[in-house]
Amino acid sequence: MPRGVTELRLKTIVLGYDGTRSAERALERAAAIAQAFGAKIVVTDVAAPQPVQAAPGAFGLVPYYEYTSDIGLRADEARWREHRGRIDSLLDGRGIEHEFAGVVGEPAAEIVDVAESRDADLIVVGTRQAGFLERLFGGSVSQGVARRAHCDVLVVHPADDDAGS
């Protein structure tokens, strides 16, 4: 190997998945990479926490919500089962080792946490063309993952016919 070049090692890939078209594209890309490198995929499906109690916020203008992960977990179990069935079917059919992590929280932070806990070599996330207000107020999950991750991040962009999905 030439001097200064390191060997590319991909043993664990974390995939952010939410069932959207962009997540499906990311799943396909992660599967192709996993096959090429013999890597394992950890599919991370993040549910948003559900508010359980509202209280007045600062100066009574913005409400403050208490969140619980238990309610969010129960609400999303059916969605996770559906997603897991789709993922198992695709990845088992290709002989790719994988596991499913259904978690509750802020998506970018949870995806990065799963990647760190599994010592991932790569995170794969899909993206879509966010509108102006979405970029202004929330950014995107893919941007948040790219900013926070301590490993490489592959952002899979939409196909031309998927723009806006």
Side-chain angles (χ1 to χ4, degrees):
M1 187 171 306
R3 188 178 188 175
V5 175
T6 59
E7 183 179 342
L8 181 59
R9 172 185 88 95
L10 283 177
K11 292 186 178 182
T12 305
I13 300 169
V14 168
L15 168 70
Y17 185 85
D18 63 2
T20 60
R21 273 198 256 180
S22 60
E24 288 292 322
R25 285 182 52 80
L27 173 62
E28 289 289 338
R29 187 68 49 92
I33 293 168
Q35 279 185 307
F37 286 92
K40 173 183 182 175
I41 297 177
V42 179
V43 179
T44 307
D45 195 341
V46 183
Q50 304 296 313
V52 293
Q53 181 179 3
F59 307 106
L61 298 175
V62 180
Y64 167 79
Y65 293 94
E66 278 185 33
Y67 291 91
T68 179
S69 61
D70 184 49
I71 290 174
L73 182 62
R74 286 190 308 236
D76 283 291
E77 284 178 353
R79 185 188 84 176
W80 286 336
R81 277 192 300 276
E82 178 184 324
H83 289 176
R84 186 175 196 151
R86 160 82 177 112
I87 290 159
D88 286 346
S89 174
L90 176 78
L91 298 180
D92 285 343
R94 295 185 185 184
I96 299 170
E97 181 184 356
H98 63 282
E99 68 179 85
F100 188 86
V103 295
V104 176
E106 192 275 316
E110 294 298 332
I111 292 167
V112 171
D113 285 350
V114 168
E116 288 177 358
S117 72
R118 302 301 200 292
D119 195 26
D121 304 297
L122 177 68
I123 300 172
V124 179
V125 291
T127 190
R128 57 187 179 79
Q129 301 304 103
F132 173 76
L133 289 177
E134 184 178 2
R135 287 192 310 270
L136 180 66
F137 290 114
S140 71
V141 172
S142 59
Q143 288 172 339
V145 168
R147 277 194 306 273
R148 295 175 181 168
H150 295 115
C151 64
D152 292 337
V153 177
L154 172 62
V155 178
V156 179
H157 291 271
D160 290 337
D161 58 343
D162 285 350
S165 298

